[in-house]
Amino acid sequence: MSGTSGSVSAAAPNDAEYEILCDNNGAFIRRYTLTAGGALSTTDTTLDGVTPYVPVGTVARCGVTAANPLIDSTVQRQTGAGTVTIAAGARSVTLIVYAGAPTVALSGGTAVPIATGSSLTWSVDQGGKAGESLQDSFVFTGIPGNDFVVLSTREL
């Protein structure tokens, strides 16, 4: 039974299985033990495996996100001069350039021109409370003759 994670099987008395779980404070170890009487008991410790631990808030497998997170999506078309700004914290940002060479600046950095016909995407694959998000803000700037679309998603 040792070396497995995420399951508890009927085994000999005092056989133990360990799982790393996360709560509002981060990771901890949960030990499952089958007693001689057939009852299952659990013991939580810090990652050292010795110091007792009391979970805080929601307990779940680490890195698991909500099964159906709420996602807010936007699509903005800019024709000619103007700016489209996407704040930090988005899950995805896509730029499609139809005409001209609008610029993109990440988190206040140097603006870089993007050629006609280009399509760029920045994204993360794990959201949720403790999940990933894009840490950069995006500023797309067009001048007369530019035509581009910016799409974004953000977890609510």
Side-chain angles (χ1 to χ4, degrees):
M1 193 160 125
S2 65
T4 62
S5 177
S7 66
V8 178
S9 61
N14 297 319
D15 192 12
E17 183 161 333
Y18 299 84
E19 182 173 26
I20 296 177
L21 297 172
C22 286
D23 66 1
N24 291 2
N25 293 326
F28 65 95
I29 296 174
R30 176 163 288 168
R31 182 179 71 222
Y32 302 92
T33 306
L34 185 63
T35 65
L40 182 66
S41 70
T42 61
T43 305
D44 297 331
T45 64
T46 60
L47 294 178
D48 68 8
V50 177
T51 307
Y53 183 78
V54 176
V56 175
T58 302
V59 174
R61 288 191 179 148
C62 300
V64 175
T65 59
N68 295 307
L70 297 176
I71 302 292
D72 180 44
S73 301
T74 65
V75 60
Q76 299 170 73
R77 186 165 190 168
Q78 179 63 47
T79 303
T83 301
V84 175
T85 302
I86 305 295
R91 282 186 71 178
S92 69
V93 176
T94 298
L95 167 68
I96 303 167
V97 181
Y98 298 116
T103 62
V104 60
L106 304 178
S107 294
T110 303
V112 176
I114 307 299
T116 298
S118 296
S119 174
L120 305 174
T121 298
W122 298 262
S123 66
V124 296
D125 64 355
Q126 295 184 24
K129 279 187 174 180
E132 303 169 323
S133 67
L134 296 169
Q135 299 304 304
D136 290 315
S137 60
F138 297 78
V139 178
F140 302 94
T141 304
I143 61 172
N146 287 175
D147 185 5
F148 61 95
V149 171
V150 176
L151 302 98
S152 70
T153 61
R154 181 176 304 275
E155 192 166 336
L156 299 176

